Amino acid sequence: MAAEIAEQPDVWRTLLRASRGEITSVARHIADRRPRFVQFVARGTSDHAALYGKYLVEIRHGLPTGMVSPSTMTVYGARPDLRDVLYIAVSQSGGSPDLVRSVQVAREQGALTVAVTNATISALADAAELDLHVHAGPERSVAATKSYTAELLTLYLLSEAILGADGARAAAALPELGAHVLDGEERVRAAAQRYRFAQRLVTTGRGYSYPTAREAALKLMETSYLSAQAFSGADLLHGPLATVDPQVPVLAVVPEGVGGAAMRPVLDRLAERDADIFGVGAGEYVSTLTGGFVLPTGAPPELSPLLEIIPFQQLALHLAIARGGDPDTPRGLRKVTETL
């Protein structure tokens, strides 16, 4: 897991270099079809990448976007009318039977289907009309890291290409910024020691950073076996705030721009409860918290999630080790989960 976290800047460089032609081709097909609605389908970590894609489409393209529940098709036999729908399946392995079947049904029902995977050959790619490879390379740790950020970057590049923009140019500085984040690992290791005896915690963020909060919670649950609940900053104030006290750490994603500004009232309410808050993001917010990690500047808001997640990946790694676990092989889990 440590090696794969460290590989991410190189993965992004490879993706920016190798994917231009295929992303341009897929984007052209999508633009020609002029979809009026977009649906994403995914599971696990890839579900968080898909949620990021949902924010991209709604904000950048102004199109209504939804997250699919595959069981409506695979268990209940639903056959919705999907004409004029862009249906994007995101999966590291491309092997989950329910995702494959949902794409098959979506294609039968008139959708333009796209598979985004880290597998050069997969059943999901075969089922979809179009497919994109995220170029993350083999990932051996059960806890996905580099394939997650490669999915984020692929969705960003595709989104920009559909708009006719050069996403690769906007993302050119990303690998160097990622390397800078990786260099701050000792701060994260210290935080892991602080939270090694926590039994539950809360993660929170808004907008593009909400998927980061959800992915951070999943990484902590699967590697350290603690109860981690993720909430958008808005939802946290609608009831779950009552569960927070000084013994329940809060991991907050507070980037520069409107996403971080939207979190300021949440931080104020958490402070009223004397919460222990570890923040990742802009210095103006992190400096007011119990602890945290200040991200480098220079990335567009849409790309901040690729940097935000790295300290949380490192936290999951070091927390698992501090608690006596093996983050590479969490108990009861396998790399490919086949849901039906």
Side-chain angles (χ1 to χ4, degrees), residues 254 264 267-268 271 275 277 279 282-292 294:
V254 286
R264 189 182 292 277
L267 299 179
D268 291 342
I277 311 171
E284 63 179 299
Y285 304 117
V286 173
S287 63
T288 68
L289 307 178
T290 310
V294 177

Side-chain angles (χ1 to χ4, degrees), residues 78-329:
R79 294 297 180 266
D81 183 349
L82 296 177
R83 288 171 293 180
D84 298 323
V85 171
L86 172 61
Y87 195 93
I88 302 176
V90 188
S91 170
Q92 292 145 35
S93 69
S96 185
D98 63 341
L99 297 186
V100 173
R101 184 56 184 150
S102 78
V103 168
Q104 292 170 339
V105 171
R107 192 170 179 178
E108 292 166 1
Q109 296 303 111
L112 172 60
T113 52
V114 180
V116 177
T117 76
N118 191 37
T120 53
I121 299 174
S122 70
L124 190 67
D126 289 342
E129 185 174 343
L130 306 169
D131 67 278
L132 288 171
H133 183 220
V134 305
H135 298 280
E139 191 173 53
R140 295 179 176 83
S141 174
V142 170
T145 52
K146 63 179 181 175
S147 63
Y148 173 67
T149 55
E151 288 173 348
L152 298 185
L153 184 53
T154 299
L155 292 172
Y156 170 79
L157 294 173
L158 177 62
S159 170
E160 292 299 289
I162 294 169
L163 291 171
D166 187 354
R169 181 184 296 273
L174 196 63
E176 290 304 317
L177 294 173
H180 181 79
V181 175
L182 288 166
D183 286 342
E185 187 169 6
E186 284 308 310
R187 279 169 280 167
V188 180
R189 193 192 306 267
Q193 293 301 317
R194 177 181 179 86
Y195 299 129
R196 64 179 299 191
F197 297 113
Q199 294 304 308
R200 60 189 180 96
L201 54 79
V202 168
T203 67
T204 185
R206 291 199 70 177
Y208 290 119
S209 297
Y210 177 42
T212 304
R214 291 185 55 170
E215 174 62 8
L218 177 60
K219 285 292 156 284
L220 290 161
M221 286 189 285
E222 67 184 351
T223 60
S224 298
Y225 318 139
L226 52 76
S227 176
Q229 293 179 285
F231 300 99
S232 79
D235 285 333
L236 182 60
L237 300 184
H238 285 268
L241 183 69
T243 68
V244 176
D245 60 36
Q247 283 70 53
V248 179
V250 177
L251 309 182
V253 195
V254 286
E256 291 186 316
V258 296
M263 284 294 293
R264 189 182 292 277
V266 181
L267 299 179
D268 291 342
R269 293 291 302 278
L270 289 167
E272 291 172 4
R273 302 190 63 80
D274 295 322
D276 181 321
I277 311 171
F278 179 88
V280 170
E284 63 179 299
Y285 304 117
V286 173
S287 63
T288 68
L289 307 178
T290 310
F293 190 106
V294 177
L295 294 175
T297 60
E302 298 88 352
L303 290 173
S304 180
L306 283 87
L307 303 177
E308 296 163 1
I309 192 58
I310 292 176
F312 293 118
Q313 293 170 341
Q314 294 173 328
L315 181 63
L317 167 72
H318 291 297
L319 194 57
I321 294 170
R323 292 161 69 98
D326 179 358
D328 289 339
T329 56

Side-chain angles (χ1 to χ4, degrees), residues 4-27:
E4 288 165 0
I5 291 171
E7 288 173 23
Q8 288 175 107
D10 287 337
V11 168
W12 303 342
R13 288 188 184 93
T14 298
L15 180 53
L16 290 169
R17 182 179 63 252
S19 67
R20 185 181 292 271
E22 58 189 280
I23 286 177
T24 299
S25 176
V26 170

